[in-house]
Amino acid sequence: MNAYELTGQVRTHVTELPEPRCTLHVDVAAPFLNMRRAALADGFEVEPASSFRDFPRQLSIWNAKFTGERTVLDAAGAPIDVRGLAAAERIEALLLWSALPGASRHHWGTDLDLIDRRATPSGYQPRLTPDEYDAGGPYAPLFEWLEENAARWGFFRPYRGARSGVAAEPWHFSFAPLAEPARNGLTPKVLRAAIETTPMLGKDEVIARIEELHARYVAVIDWP
Protein backbone atom coordinates (compact mmCIF):
# COMPACT_ATOMS: atom_id res chain seq x y z
CA MET A 1 0.00 0.00 0.00
CA ASN A 2 1.15 3.52 -0.75
CA ALA A 3 1.08 6.41 1.71
CA TYR A 4 -2.38 7.57 0.62
CA GLU A 5 -3.82 4.07 1.04
CA LEU A 6 -2.12 3.61 4.40
CA THR A 7 -3.71 6.80 5.72
CA GLY A 8 -7.17 6.28 4.25
CA GLN A 9 -7.01 9.20 1.82
CA VAL A 10 -7.91 7.06 -1.23
CA ARG A 11 -9.98 3.94 -1.85
CA THR A 12 -7.87 2.36 -4.61
CA HIS A 13 -7.07 -0.68 -2.46
CA VAL A 14 -10.59 -1.61 -1.31
CA THR A 15 -13.70 -3.26 -2.69
CA GLU A 16 -17.37 -3.20 -1.68
CA LEU A 17 -19.06 -6.43 -0.58
CA PRO A 18 -22.85 -6.57 -0.92
CA GLU A 19 -23.42 -9.28 1.71
CA PRO A 20 -22.52 -8.75 4.38
CA ARG A 21 -22.36 -5.09 3.42
CA CYS A 22 -18.81 -3.88 4.10
CA THR A 23 -15.69 -2.48 2.46
CA LEU A 24 -12.44 -4.45 2.58
CA HIS A 25 -9.02 -4.57 0.98
CA VAL A 26 -9.35 -6.44 -2.32
CA ASP A 27 -7.17 -9.25 -0.97
CA VAL A 28 -9.00 -9.54 2.35
CA ALA A 29 -12.49 -10.11 0.94
CA ALA A 30 -11.99 -13.79 0.06
CA PRO A 31 -10.37 -14.83 3.39
CA PHE A 32 -13.10 -13.01 5.32
CA LEU A 33 -15.90 -14.62 3.33
CA ASN A 34 -14.31 -18.04 3.78
CA MET A 35 -14.14 -17.49 7.54
CA ARG A 36 -17.72 -16.26 7.55
CA ARG A 37 -18.94 -19.38 5.75
CA ALA A 38 -17.24 -21.58 8.34
CA ALA A 39 -18.79 -19.54 11.14
CA LEU A 40 -22.24 -19.87 9.55
CA ALA A 41 -21.82 -23.63 9.53
CA ASP A 42 -21.22 -23.43 13.29
CA GLY A 43 -24.23 -21.19 13.91
CA PHE A 44 -22.68 -17.70 13.84
CA GLU A 45 -23.64 -14.99 11.37
CA VAL A 46 -20.49 -12.89 11.39
CA GLU A 47 -21.07 -9.31 10.34
CA PRO A 48 -18.71 -6.32 10.36
CA ALA A 49 -19.98 -3.48 12.49
CA SER A 50 -17.08 -1.54 10.96
CA SER A 51 -14.66 -2.30 8.14
CA PHE A 52 -12.77 0.18 5.94
CA ARG A 53 -12.93 3.73 7.28
CA ASP A 54 -11.51 6.62 5.28
CA PHE A 55 -9.54 9.58 6.59
CA PRO A 56 -12.42 12.09 6.58
CA ARG A 57 -14.57 9.74 8.64
CA GLN A 58 -11.80 9.14 11.18
CA LEU A 59 -11.18 12.88 11.34
CA SER A 60 -14.85 13.58 12.06
CA ILE A 61 -14.89 10.96 14.83
CA TRP A 62 -11.72 12.41 16.37
CA ASN A 63 -12.92 16.01 16.30
CA ALA A 64 -16.35 15.12 17.72
CA LYS A 65 -14.72 13.26 20.60
CA PHE A 66 -12.16 16.02 21.15
CA THR A 67 -14.95 18.56 21.67
CA GLY A 68 -17.04 16.20 23.80
CA GLU A 69 -19.86 16.05 21.24
CA ARG A 70 -19.27 12.30 20.90
CA THR A 71 -18.93 9.97 23.88
CA VAL A 72 -15.43 9.20 25.15
CA LEU A 73 -14.90 6.17 27.37
CA ASP A 74 -12.38 5.49 30.12
CA ALA A 75 -10.42 2.25 30.52
CA ALA A 76 -13.40 0.58 32.23
CA GLY A 77 -15.74 1.54 29.39
CA ALA A 78 -17.52 4.29 31.35
CA PRO A 79 -18.24 7.70 29.74
CA ILE A 80 -16.01 10.60 30.74
CA ASP A 81 -16.28 14.35 30.15
CA VAL A 82 -13.19 15.51 28.26
CA ARG A 83 -14.20 19.17 28.03
CA GLY A 84 -12.30 20.11 31.19
CA LEU A 85 -9.10 18.34 30.14
CA ALA A 86 -6.05 20.02 28.66
CA ALA A 87 -5.19 19.11 25.06
CA ALA A 88 -2.54 16.56 26.08
CA GLU A 89 -4.97 14.84 28.46
CA ARG A 90 -7.73 14.78 25.87
CA ILE A 91 -5.42 13.15 23.37
CA GLU A 92 -4.48 10.44 25.85
CA ALA A 93 -8.15 9.83 26.67
CA LEU A 94 -9.14 9.56 23.02
CA LEU A 95 -6.27 7.29 22.02
CA LEU A 96 -7.33 4.66 24.51
CA TRP A 97 -10.16 3.67 22.14
CA SER A 98 -9.80 5.81 18.99
CA ALA A 99 -6.97 6.10 16.50
CA LEU A 100 -5.49 9.32 15.21
CA PRO A 101 -6.81 10.30 11.78
CA GLY A 102 -4.40 8.68 9.37
CA ALA A 103 -3.37 6.03 11.90
CA SER A 104 -6.48 3.87 12.06
CA ARG A 105 -5.91 0.27 11.02
CA HIS A 106 -9.35 0.50 9.42
CA HIS A 107 -7.80 2.75 6.74
CA TRP A 108 -6.06 -0.31 5.36
CA GLY A 109 -9.18 -2.37 4.70
CA THR A 110 -7.55 -5.20 6.63
CA ASP A 111 -9.37 -4.74 9.93
CA LEU A 112 -12.93 -5.44 11.00
CA ASP A 113 -15.05 -4.99 14.12
CA LEU A 114 -17.15 -8.15 14.27
CA ILE A 115 -20.55 -8.98 15.73
CA ASP A 116 -22.94 -11.93 15.41
CA ARG A 117 -26.06 -10.81 13.58
CA ARG A 118 -28.04 -13.81 14.84
CA ALA A 119 -27.20 -13.01 18.46
CA THR A 120 -28.16 -9.34 18.17
CA PRO A 121 -31.52 -8.74 19.91
CA SER A 122 -34.23 -7.09 17.84
CA GLY A 123 -33.83 -3.33 17.95
CA TYR A 124 -30.46 -3.56 19.72
CA GLN A 125 -27.67 -1.27 18.59
CA PRO A 126 -24.22 -2.86 19.14
CA ARG A 127 -21.95 -0.60 21.19
CA LEU A 128 -18.66 -2.46 20.74
CA THR A 129 -17.90 -2.49 24.46
CA PRO A 130 -16.10 -5.26 26.39
CA ASP A 131 -19.23 -6.36 28.29
CA GLU A 132 -20.88 -7.42 25.02
CA TYR A 133 -18.08 -9.97 24.51
CA ASP A 134 -17.64 -11.06 28.13
CA ALA A 135 -19.44 -14.10 29.57
CA GLY A 136 -23.16 -13.46 29.40
CA GLY A 137 -22.84 -10.83 26.67
CA PRO A 138 -24.59 -11.34 23.33
CA TYR A 139 -21.33 -11.80 21.45
CA ALA A 140 -19.43 -13.94 23.96
CA PRO A 141 -19.98 -17.19 21.99
CA LEU A 142 -18.78 -15.56 18.77
CA PHE A 143 -15.72 -14.20 20.54
CA GLU A 144 -14.82 -17.70 21.76
CA TRP A 145 -15.27 -19.10 18.25
CA LEU A 146 -13.08 -16.38 16.72
CA GLU A 147 -10.38 -16.81 19.36
CA GLU A 148 -10.20 -20.50 18.46
CA ASN A 149 -10.63 -20.31 14.70
CA ALA A 150 -9.79 -16.89 13.19
CA ALA A 151 -6.11 -17.66 12.72
CA ARG A 152 -7.00 -20.41 10.22
CA TRP A 153 -7.84 -17.63 7.74
CA GLY A 154 -5.05 -15.25 8.75
CA PHE A 155 -6.96 -13.08 11.24
CA PHE A 156 -5.76 -12.05 14.70
CA ARG A 157 -6.54 -9.57 17.49
CA PRO A 158 -4.13 -6.60 17.52
CA TYR A 159 -5.45 -5.12 20.78
CA ARG A 160 -5.54 -7.30 23.89
CA GLY A 161 -4.77 -4.65 26.50
CA ALA A 162 -1.20 -5.84 27.07
CA ARG A 163 1.61 -4.15 25.14
CA SER A 164 -0.22 -1.54 23.07
CA GLY A 165 -1.52 1.71 24.53
CA VAL A 166 -4.91 0.88 23.02
CA ALA A 167 -7.46 -0.79 25.31
CA ALA A 168 -8.46 -4.41 24.74
CA GLU A 169 -10.90 -4.72 21.83
CA PRO A 170 -12.35 -8.25 21.64
CA TRP A 171 -14.35 -7.30 18.54
CA HIS A 172 -11.36 -6.12 16.47
CA PHE A 173 -9.74 -8.61 14.09
CA SER A 174 -7.02 -7.95 11.54
CA PHE A 175 -5.75 -9.82 8.47
CA ALA A 176 -2.08 -10.38 9.29
CA PRO A 177 -0.59 -10.99 5.81
CA LEU A 178 -1.49 -7.42 4.75
CA ALA A 179 -1.87 -5.60 8.05
CA GLU A 180 1.67 -6.30 9.19
CA PRO A 181 3.32 -4.76 6.09
CA ALA A 182 0.93 -1.82 6.46
CA ARG A 183 1.86 -1.32 10.11
CA ASN A 184 5.53 -1.24 9.16
CA GLY A 185 4.85 1.16 6.29
CA LEU A 186 2.91 3.67 8.38
CA THR A 187 5.89 5.62 9.71
CA PRO A 188 5.76 8.81 11.79
CA LYS A 189 6.76 10.72 8.65
CA VAL A 190 3.82 9.31 6.67
CA LEU A 191 1.42 10.02 9.51
CA ARG A 192 2.65 13.59 9.99
CA ALA A 193 2.23 14.33 6.29
CA ALA A 194 -1.36 13.08 6.41
CA ILE A 195 -2.48 15.29 9.28
CA GLU A 196 -0.37 18.45 9.13
CA THR A 197 -2.65 20.36 6.72
CA THR A 198 -6.00 19.10 8.07
CA PRO A 199 -8.46 20.75 10.52
CA MET A 200 -7.69 18.14 13.18
CA LEU A 201 -8.29 19.35 16.74
CA GLY A 202 -5.23 19.01 18.97
CA LYS A 203 -3.04 18.82 15.87
CA ASP A 204 -0.18 20.93 17.18
CA GLU A 205 0.17 18.76 20.28
CA VAL A 206 -0.02 15.58 18.21
CA ILE A 207 2.61 16.72 15.73
CA ALA A 208 4.91 17.80 18.55
CA ARG A 209 4.62 14.29 20.03
CA ILE A 210 4.28 12.32 16.79
CA GLU A 211 7.21 9.97 17.42
CA GLU A 212 6.04 9.11 20.95
CA LEU A 213 2.38 8.66 20.00
CA HIS A 214 3.28 6.56 16.97
CA ALA A 215 5.46 4.30 19.11
CA ARG A 216 2.76 3.74 21.74
CA TYR A 217 -0.41 3.55 19.64
CA VAL A 218 0.65 2.52 16.13
CA ALA A 219 3.93 0.63 16.09
CA VAL A 220 3.23 -1.60 19.09
CA ILE A 221 0.37 -4.10 19.04
CA ASP A 222 -0.44 -7.17 21.11
CA TRP A 223 0.75 -9.69 18.53
CA PRO A 224 2.53 -11.94 17.95
Side-chain angles (χ1 to χ4, degrees):
M1 282 181 262
N2 62 42
Y4 296 104
E5 292 171 339
L6 289 172
T7 53
Q9 297 178 84
V10 296
R11 304 173 68 94
T12 49
H13 56 306
V14 298
T15 186
E16 305 281 344
L17 297 184
E19 179 57 35
R21 189 179 181 87
C22 62
T23 306
L24 296 174
H25 190 285
V26 292
D27 294 325
V28 176
F32 169 67
L33 291 175
N34 288 337
M35 182 174 73
R36 186 172 188 268
R37 279 190 285 270
L40 280 169
D42 287 342
F44 303 100
E45 191 172 1
V46 177
E47 179 177 84
S50 181
S51 53
F52 169 76
R53 188 182 306 139
D54 64 18
F55 184 96
R57 177 58 179 157
Q58 191 68 25
L59 178 63
S60 70
I61 292 171
W62 176 271
N63 283 350
K65 288 190 173 185
F66 198 90
T67 61
E69 295 174 13
R70 189 179 177 119
T71 301
V72 177
L73 304 178
D74 64 15
I80 60 173
D81 187 353
V82 300
R83 290 173 294 180
L85 301 179
E89 295 172 310
R90 291 195 198 197
I91 289 166
E92 296 289 341
L94 268 61
L95 287 174
L96 188 62
W97 295 103
S98 298
L100 292 166
S104 173
R105 296 174 66 91
H106 288 283
H107 293 331
W108 310 336
T110 59
D111 287 51
L112 310 97
D113 297 335
L114 300 176
I115 63 169
D116 180 1
R117 183 188 294 175
R118 289 183 184 176
T120 304
S122 178
Y124 180 80
Q125 180 63 42
R127 295 171 289 116
L128 298 182
T129 53
D131 60 288
E132 293 179 317
Y133 295 79
D134 288 341
Y139 307 130
L142 172 64
F143 173 66
E144 293 178 4
W145 188 91
L146 289 168
E147 281 281 85
E148 183 176 346
N149 294 284
R152 294 165 55 192
W153 293 276
F155 292 92
F156 73 100
R157 282 179 59 207
Y159 304 130
R160 294 176 175 267
R163 298 172 60 216
S164 173
V166 180
E169 296 187 350
W171 51 85
H172 188 147
F173 283 80
S174 182
F175 185 66
L178 291 175
E180 281 300 278
R183 179 168 67 100
N184 293 328
L186 184 60
T187 64
K189 180 179 179 180
V190 169
L191 181 56
R192 182 188 297 108
I195 66 176
E196 61 187 357
T197 61
T198 68
M200 173 185 164
L201 298 179
K203 179 174 64 178
D204 291 344
E205 176 76 18
V206 168
I207 289 177
R209 300 171 56 196
I210 195 73
E211 298 282 347
E212 169 210 343
L213 296 177
H214 178 276
R216 290 172 58 196
Y217 297 102
V218 180
V220 176
I221 58 173
D222 295 319
W223 185 86

Short mmCIF file of all heavy atoms in Angstrom, two decimals, residues 18-21 32-33 35-49 113-120 126 133 138-139 141-143 145-146:
data_model
loop_
_atom_site.label_atom_id
_atom_site.label_comp_id
_atom_site.label_asym_id
_atom_site.label_seq_id
_atom_site.Cartn_x
_atom_site.Cartn_y
_atom_site.Cartn_z
N PRO A 18 -21.42 -6.81 -1.10
CA PRO A 18 -22.85 -6.57 -0.92
C PRO A 18 -23.44 -7.31 0.27
O PRO A 18 -24.40 -6.86 0.89
CB PRO A 18 -23.46 -7.05 -2.24
CG PRO A 18 -22.51 -8.10 -2.74
CD PRO A 18 -21.15 -7.65 -2.28
N GLU A 19 -22.89 -8.49 0.60
CA GLU A 19 -23.42 -9.28 1.71
C GLU A 19 -22.32 -10.12 2.33
O GLU A 19 -21.77 -11.00 1.67
CB GLU A 19 -24.55 -10.19 1.23
CG GLU A 19 -25.17 -11.07 2.30
CD GLU A 19 -25.72 -10.28 3.50
OE1 GLU A 19 -26.23 -9.17 3.32
OE2 GLU A 19 -25.63 -10.83 4.62
N PRO A 20 -21.98 -9.85 3.60
CA PRO A 20 -22.52 -8.75 4.38
C PRO A 20 -21.97 -7.42 3.85
O PRO A 20 -20.85 -7.36 3.36
CB PRO A 20 -22.03 -9.04 5.79
CG PRO A 20 -20.74 -9.77 5.58
CD PRO A 20 -20.95 -10.61 4.35
N ARG A 21 -22.74 -6.38 3.98
CA ARG A 21 -22.36 -5.09 3.42
C ARG A 21 -21.15 -4.54 4.18
O ARG A 21 -21.22 -4.26 5.38
CB ARG A 21 -23.52 -4.12 3.53
CG ARG A 21 -23.31 -2.81 2.77
CD ARG A 21 -24.53 -1.92 2.90
NE ARG A 21 -24.36 -0.69 2.18
CZ ARG A 21 -24.64 -0.51 0.90
NH1 ARG A 21 -25.12 -1.53 0.19
NH2 ARG A 21 -24.45 0.65 0.29
N PHE A 32 -12.00 -13.32 4.40
CA PHE A 32 -13.10 -13.01 5.32
C PHE A 32 -14.34 -13.81 4.99
O PHE A 32 -14.99 -14.39 5.87
CB PHE A 32 -13.42 -11.51 5.29
CG PHE A 32 -14.70 -11.19 6.03
CD1 PHE A 32 -14.78 -11.35 7.41
CD2 PHE A 32 -15.83 -10.78 5.33
CE1 PHE A 32 -15.96 -11.08 8.08
CE2 PHE A 32 -17.01 -10.51 6.00
CZ PHE A 32 -17.08 -10.67 7.38
N LEU A 33 -14.71 -13.87 3.71
CA LEU A 33 -15.90 -14.62 3.33
C LEU A 33 -15.75 -16.11 3.61
O LEU A 33 -16.71 -16.78 4.00
CB LEU A 33 -16.23 -14.38 1.85
CG LEU A 33 -16.70 -12.96 1.52
CD1 LEU A 33 -16.87 -12.80 0.01
CD2 LEU A 33 -18.01 -12.64 2.23
N MET A 35 -13.96 -17.37 6.09
CA MET A 35 -14.14 -17.49 7.54
C MET A 35 -15.61 -17.36 7.90
O MET A 35 -16.12 -18.10 8.76
CB MET A 35 -13.32 -16.43 8.26
CG MET A 35 -13.43 -16.51 9.79
SD MET A 35 -12.33 -15.35 10.67
CE MET A 35 -13.17 -13.80 10.35
N ARG A 36 -16.31 -16.46 7.26
CA ARG A 36 -17.72 -16.26 7.55
C ARG A 36 -18.54 -17.51 7.22
O ARG A 36 -19.46 -17.88 7.96
CB ARG A 36 -18.25 -15.06 6.76
CG ARG A 36 -19.68 -14.68 7.11
CD ARG A 36 -20.07 -13.37 6.45
NE ARG A 36 -21.37 -12.92 6.92
CZ ARG A 36 -22.53 -13.22 6.32
NH1 ARG A 36 -22.53 -13.98 5.23
NH2 ARG A 36 -23.67 -12.77 6.81
N ARG A 37 -18.23 -18.16 6.11
CA ARG A 37 -18.94 -19.38 5.75
C ARG A 37 -18.73 -20.47 6.81
O ARG A 37 -19.67 -21.19 7.18
CB ARG A 37 -18.50 -19.87 4.37
CG ARG A 37 -19.18 -19.14 3.22
CD ARG A 37 -18.90 -19.82 1.90
NE ARG A 37 -17.55 -19.55 1.44
CZ ARG A 37 -17.22 -18.52 0.67
NH1 ARG A 37 -18.13 -17.64 0.30
NH2 ARG A 37 -15.97 -18.35 0.27
N ALA A 38 -17.52 -20.59 7.29
CA ALA A 38 -17.24 -21.58 8.34
C ALA A 38 -17.99 -21.23 9.61
O ALA A 38 -18.52 -22.12 10.30
CB ALA A 38 -15.74 -21.64 8.60
N ALA A 39 -18.05 -19.95 9.95
CA ALA A 39 -18.79 -19.54 11.14
C ALA A 39 -20.27 -19.82 10.99
O ALA A 39 -20.94 -20.27 11.95
CB ALA A 39 -18.55 -18.04 11.40
N LEU A 40 -20.83 -19.58 9.79
CA LEU A 40 -22.24 -19.87 9.55
C LEU A 40 -22.54 -21.35 9.77
O LEU A 40 -23.59 -21.70 10.33
CB LEU A 40 -22.62 -19.47 8.12
CG LEU A 40 -22.91 -17.99 7.86
CD1 LEU A 40 -23.01 -17.72 6.37
CD2 LEU A 40 -24.20 -17.58 8.56
N ALA A 41 -21.63 -22.20 9.34
CA ALA A 41 -21.82 -23.63 9.53
C ALA A 41 -21.86 -24.01 11.01
O ALA A 41 -22.47 -25.01 11.39
CB ALA A 41 -20.71 -24.41 8.82
N ASP A 42 -21.23 -23.18 11.85
CA ASP A 42 -21.22 -23.43 13.29
C ASP A 42 -22.26 -22.59 14.03
O ASP A 42 -22.27 -22.55 15.27
CB ASP A 42 -19.83 -23.14 13.86
CG ASP A 42 -18.82 -24.20 13.48
OD1 ASP A 42 -19.24 -25.32 13.09
OD2 ASP A 42 -17.60 -23.94 13.57
N GLY A 43 -23.12 -21.89 13.28
CA GLY A 43 -24.23 -21.19 13.91
C GLY A 43 -24.03 -19.71 14.16
O GLY A 43 -24.86 -19.08 14.83
N PHE A 44 -22.96 -19.12 13.62
CA PHE A 44 -22.68 -17.70 13.84
C PHE A 44 -22.80 -16.93 12.53
O PHE A 44 -22.21 -17.34 11.52
CB PHE A 44 -21.28 -17.50 14.41
CG PHE A 44 -21.03 -18.23 15.70
CD1 PHE A 44 -20.34 -19.44 15.70
CD2 PHE A 44 -21.49 -17.73 16.90
CE1 PHE A 44 -20.11 -20.13 16.88
CE2 PHE A 44 -21.28 -18.41 18.08
CZ PHE A 44 -20.58 -19.62 18.08
N GLU A 45 -23.52 -15.82 12.55
CA GLU A 45 -23.64 -14.99 11.37
C GLU A 45 -22.74 -13.77 11.56
O GLU A 45 -23.16 -12.72 12.04
CB GLU A 45 -25.08 -14.57 11.15
CG GLU A 45 -25.31 -13.91 9.80
CD GLU A 45 -26.78 -13.68 9.50
OE1 GLU A 45 -27.63 -14.01 10.34
OE2 GLU A 45 -27.05 -13.16 8.40
N VAL A 46 -21.49 -13.94 11.18
CA VAL A 46 -20.49 -12.89 11.39
C VAL A 46 -20.78 -11.70 10.48
O VAL A 46 -20.96 -11.85 9.27
CB VAL A 46 -19.07 -13.43 11.12
CG1 VAL A 46 -18.04 -12.32 11.26
CG2 VAL A 46 -18.76 -14.57 12.08
N GLU A 47 -20.79 -10.53 11.08
CA GLU A 47 -21.07 -9.31 10.34
C GLU A 47 -20.14 -8.20 10.83
O GLU A 47 -20.01 -8.01 12.05
CB GLU A 47 -22.53 -8.90 10.54
CG GLU A 47 -22.91 -7.61 9.81
CD GLU A 47 -24.38 -7.30 9.98
OE1 GLU A 47 -24.75 -6.69 11.01
OE2 GLU A 47 -25.16 -7.67 9.09
N PRO A 48 -19.53 -7.46 9.93
CA PRO A 48 -18.71 -6.32 10.36
C PRO A 48 -19.57 -5.14 10.81
O PRO A 48 -20.41 -4.65 10.05
CB PRO A 48 -17.91 -5.96 9.10
CG PRO A 48 -18.04 -7.14 8.19
CD PRO A 48 -19.39 -7.72 8.49
N ALA A 49 -19.37 -4.72 12.04
CA ALA A 49 -19.98 -3.48 12.49
C ALA A 49 -19.19 -2.30 11.93
O ALA A 49 -19.71 -1.19 11.82
CB ALA A 49 -19.99 -3.41 14.02
N ASP A 113 -14.43 -4.85 12.81
CA ASP A 113 -15.05 -4.99 14.12
C ASP A 113 -16.24 -5.92 13.93
O ASP A 113 -17.18 -5.58 13.19
CB ASP A 113 -15.51 -3.63 14.65
CG ASP A 113 -14.36 -2.67 14.86
OD1 ASP A 113 -13.22 -3.14 15.07
OD2 ASP A 113 -14.59 -1.45 14.82
N LEU A 114 -16.21 -7.07 14.59
CA LEU A 114 -17.15 -8.15 14.27
C LEU A 114 -18.21 -8.37 15.34
O LEU A 114 -17.92 -8.36 16.54
CB LEU A 114 -16.39 -9.45 14.03
CG LEU A 114 -15.36 -9.40 12.89
CD1 LEU A 114 -14.59 -10.71 12.81
CD2 LEU A 114 -16.06 -9.11 11.55
N ILE A 115 -19.44 -8.60 14.86
CA ILE A 115 -20.55 -8.98 15.73
C ILE A 115 -21.21 -10.23 15.13
O ILE A 115 -20.88 -10.64 14.01
CB ILE A 115 -21.59 -7.86 15.87
CG1 ILE A 115 -22.23 -7.55 14.50
CG2 ILE A 115 -20.97 -6.59 16.46
CD1 ILE A 115 -23.44 -6.64 14.58
N ASP A 116 -22.14 -10.80 15.87
CA ASP A 116 -22.94 -11.93 15.41
C ASP A 116 -24.35 -11.42 15.17
O ASP A 116 -25.07 -11.09 16.11
CB ASP A 116 -22.94 -13.05 16.46
CG ASP A 116 -23.76 -14.26 16.04
OD1 ASP A 116 -24.32 -14.26 14.93
OD2 ASP A 116 -23.84 -15.21 16.84
N ARG A 117 -24.74 -11.34 13.91
CA ARG A 117 -26.06 -10.81 13.58
C ARG A 117 -27.18 -11.63 14.23
O ARG A 117 -28.17 -11.08 14.70
CB ARG A 117 -26.25 -10.78 12.06
CG ARG A 117 -27.59 -10.15 11.62
CD ARG A 117 -27.82 -10.33 10.13
NE ARG A 117 -26.85 -9.60 9.33
CZ ARG A 117 -26.80 -9.68 7.99
NH1 ARG A 117 -27.63 -10.49 7.34
NH2 ARG A 117 -25.90 -8.99 7.32
N ARG A 118 -27.00 -12.94 14.27
CA ARG A 118 -28.04 -13.81 14.84
C ARG A 118 -28.22 -13.59 16.34
O ARG A 118 -29.30 -13.78 16.87
CB ARG A 118 -27.70 -15.29 14.60
CG ARG A 118 -27.83 -15.73 13.16
CD ARG A 118 -27.55 -17.20 13.01
NE ARG A 118 -27.59 -17.62 11.62
CZ ARG A 118 -27.31 -18.84 11.18
NH1 ARG A 118 -26.96 -19.77 12.06
NH2 ARG A 118 -27.37 -19.13 9.89
N ALA A 119 -27.14 -13.19 17.00
CA ALA A 119 -27.20 -13.01 18.46
C ALA A 119 -27.61 -11.60 18.85
O ALA A 119 -27.74 -11.31 20.04
CB ALA A 119 -25.84 -13.33 19.07
N THR A 120 -27.80 -10.72 17.87
CA THR A 120 -28.16 -9.34 18.17
C THR A 120 -29.66 -9.24 18.42
O THR A 120 -30.46 -9.53 17.52
CB THR A 120 -27.77 -8.41 17.01
OG1 THR A 120 -26.37 -8.55 16.73
CG2 THR A 120 -28.07 -6.96 17.35
N PRO A 126 -25.51 -2.47 18.56
CA PRO A 126 -24.22 -2.86 19.14
C PRO A 126 -23.39 -1.65 19.51
O PRO A 126 -23.32 -0.67 18.77
CB PRO A 126 -23.56 -3.67 18.02
CG PRO A 126 -24.71 -4.18 17.20
CD PRO A 126 -25.74 -3.09 17.24
N TYR A 133 -18.87 -8.80 24.90
CA TYR A 133 -18.08 -9.97 24.51
C TYR A 133 -17.66 -10.81 25.71
O TYR A 133 -17.10 -11.89 25.54
CB TYR A 133 -16.86 -9.51 23.71
CG TYR A 133 -17.25 -8.87 22.39
CD1 TYR A 133 -17.69 -7.55 22.34
CD2 TYR A 133 -17.21 -9.59 21.21
CE1 TYR A 133 -18.08 -6.96 21.16
CE2 TYR A 133 -17.60 -9.01 20.00
CZ TYR A 133 -18.04 -7.70 19.99
OH TYR A 133 -18.44 -7.13 18.81
N PRO A 138 -24.02 -10.74 24.54
CA PRO A 138 -24.59 -11.34 23.33
C PRO A 138 -23.56 -11.90 22.36
O PRO A 138 -23.86 -12.82 21.60
CB PRO A 138 -25.38 -10.18 22.70
CG PRO A 138 -24.75 -8.93 23.25
CD PRO A 138 -24.33 -9.30 24.65
N TYR A 139 -22.34 -11.36 22.41
CA TYR A 139 -21.33 -11.80 21.45
C TYR A 139 -20.22 -12.65 22.08
O TYR A 139 -19.21 -12.92 21.43
CB TYR A 139 -20.73 -10.58 20.74
CG TYR A 139 -21.78 -9.69 20.13
CD1 TYR A 139 -21.80 -8.32 20.37
CD2 TYR A 139 -22.79 -10.23 19.34
CE1 TYR A 139 -22.79 -7.51 19.83
CE2 TYR A 139 -23.79 -9.43 18.79
CZ TYR A 139 -23.78 -8.07 19.04
OH TYR A 139 -24.77 -7.28 18.50
N PRO A 141 -20.23 -15.96 22.74
CA PRO A 141 -19.98 -17.19 21.99
C PRO A 141 -19.21 -16.95 20.69
O PRO A 141 -18.32 -17.73 20.34
CB PRO A 141 -21.39 -17.73 21.72
CG PRO A 141 -22.23 -17.18 22.83
CD PRO A 141 -21.67 -15.80 23.04
N LEU A 142 -19.54 -15.87 19.99
CA LEU A 142 -18.78 -15.56 18.77
C LEU A 142 -17.33 -15.27 19.10
O LEU A 142 -16.43 -15.74 18.39
CB LEU A 142 -19.39 -14.35 18.06
CG LEU A 142 -18.57 -13.81 16.88
CD1 LEU A 142 -18.49 -14.83 15.76
CD2 LEU A 142 -19.14 -12.49 16.36
N PHE A 143 -17.09 -14.52 20.16
CA PHE A 143 -15.72 -14.20 20.54
C PHE A 143 -14.92 -15.48 20.79
O PHE A 143 -13.78 -15.61 20.33
CB PHE A 143 -15.73 -13.32 21.79
CG PHE A 143 -14.36 -13.08 22.37
CD1 PHE A 143 -13.42 -12.35 21.66
CD2 PHE A 143 -14.01 -13.59 23.61
CE1 PHE A 143 -12.15 -12.13 22.19
CE2 PHE A 143 -12.75 -13.38 24.13
CZ PHE A 143 -11.82 -12.64 23.42
N TRP A 145 -15.48 -18.42 19.54
CA TRP A 145 -15.27 -19.10 18.25
C TRP A 145 -14.13 -18.43 17.48
O TRP A 145 -13.26 -19.11 16.91
CB TRP A 145 -16.55 -19.06 17.42
CG TRP A 145 -16.49 -19.89 16.17
CD1 TRP A 145 -16.84 -21.20 16.03
CD2 TRP A 145 -16.01 -19.47 14.88
NE1 TRP A 145 -16.61 -21.62 14.75
CE2 TRP A 145 -16.10 -20.57 14.01
CE3 TRP A 145 -15.51 -18.26 14.39
CZ2 TRP A 145 -15.73 -20.51 12.67
CZ3 TRP A 145 -15.13 -18.20 13.05
CH2 TRP A 145 -15.24 -19.31 12.21
N LEU A 146 -14.13 -17.10 17.45
CA LEU A 146 -13.08 -16.38 16.72
C LEU A 146 -11.70 -16.59 17.36
O LEU A 146 -10.70 -16.76 16.64
CB LEU A 146 -13.41 -14.89 16.68
CG LEU A 146 -14.58 -14.49 15.78
CD1 LEU A 146 -14.99 -13.04 16.04
CD2 LEU A 146 -14.22 -14.68 14.30
#
